Amino acid sequence: MLVGQHVVLRAREAGDVPILHAELYDDVPTRVRADTRGWTPVGVEHSPYAVREGGADAAAFSVVERSGGQLAGEAILWEIDPHNRSAHAGLALRPSFRGRGLAEDTLRVLVDYALSIRGLHRVQLEVVSDNKPMLAAARRVGFERDGVLRESVWVNGRFTDQVVLSRLAGGPAR
């Protein structure tokens, strides 16, 4: 387990899957803003949150709120590239856990894991340009803006910009 100030990141458990699937995957308006893959209806047995064996190219966690022990969401490092020592980061919180500072703490713990434990050099985050809370949380954790991919993602019937941010090992930890 990885412990932050407000959250614990732990291995995904079978009991997490139906909750994450119902509140994150089946929340289509939010899901299409957080994933560049098109949404399709799938049952919980084919959920992207299903418990899988860990691999070298990804590390998926369930996010648990420390004060109360409730499942708050998910966090993931994906496209882990051991040669270039880089990865992409992502997180999603259940609706009732948003706006409470958990995203910032989750991101801080996830980045610390990537840089300190996995020995990566760069963690990249892509955020839809109008997701102001996530952009602010990333900046508070030390992410810097690399640039904008103009109209690169299809979100709710229109193309929108995506902001690319990164945090480097040895960079400012906040």
Side-chain angles (χ1 to χ4, degrees):
M1 288 191 305
L2 305 172
V3 180
Q5 185 176 356
H6 303 290
V7 299
V8 171
L9 274 55
R10 63 160 170 76
R12 181 92 24 91
E13 297 173 357
D16 299 342
V17 178
I19 297 166
L20 294 174
H21 189 84
E23 292 193 37
L24 299 178
Y25 189 80
D26 283 342
D27 175 5
V28 178
T30 302
R31 177 71 183 187
V32 299
R33 296 174 49 73
D35 197 320
T36 58
R37 297 168 293 185
W39 185 90
T40 57
V42 297
V44 71
E45 66 278 0
H46 299 292
S47 177
Y49 303 106
V51 176
R52 294 181 177 81
E53 288 297 317
D57 66 338
F61 300 92
S62 286
V63 177
V64 176
E65 188 176 33
R66 285 186 66 184
S67 66
Q70 288 190 295
L71 177 66
E74 64 110 13
I76 186 168
L77 285 179
W78 51 281
E79 284 189 11
I80 299 172
D81 178 344
H83 177 73
N84 293 303
R85 294 177 49 204
S86 64
H88 296 259
L91 66 98
L93 296 175
R94 296 170 56 199
S96 62
F97 291 89
R98 295 176 190 154
R100 295 164 45 180
L102 301 182
E104 181 178 337
D105 196 40
T106 299
L107 195 54
R108 184 175 288 112
V109 173
L110 187 63
V111 168
D112 184 59
Y113 166 75
L115 302 179
S116 300
I117 297 171
R118 295 293 295 257
L120 300 179
H121 175 71
R122 174 187 169 87
V123 178
Q124 181 169 309
L125 185 64
E126 298 89 9
V127 181
V128 175
S129 62
D130 65 355
N131 187 344
K132 305 300 182 204
M134 190 62 202
L135 290 168
R139 286 189 194 102
R140 287 191 298 270
V141 175
F143 278 79
E144 294 184 25
R145 183 177 165 142
D146 290 336
V148 174
L149 302 173
R150 295 179 311 126
E151 295 187 5
S152 63
V153 290
W154 182 252
V155 177
N156 291 325
R158 65 180 182 86
F159 284 103
T160 192
D161 295 348
Q162 194 173 43
V163 179
V164 178
L165 306 109
S166 65
R167 168 85 187 275
L168 303 179
R174 298 180 184 159

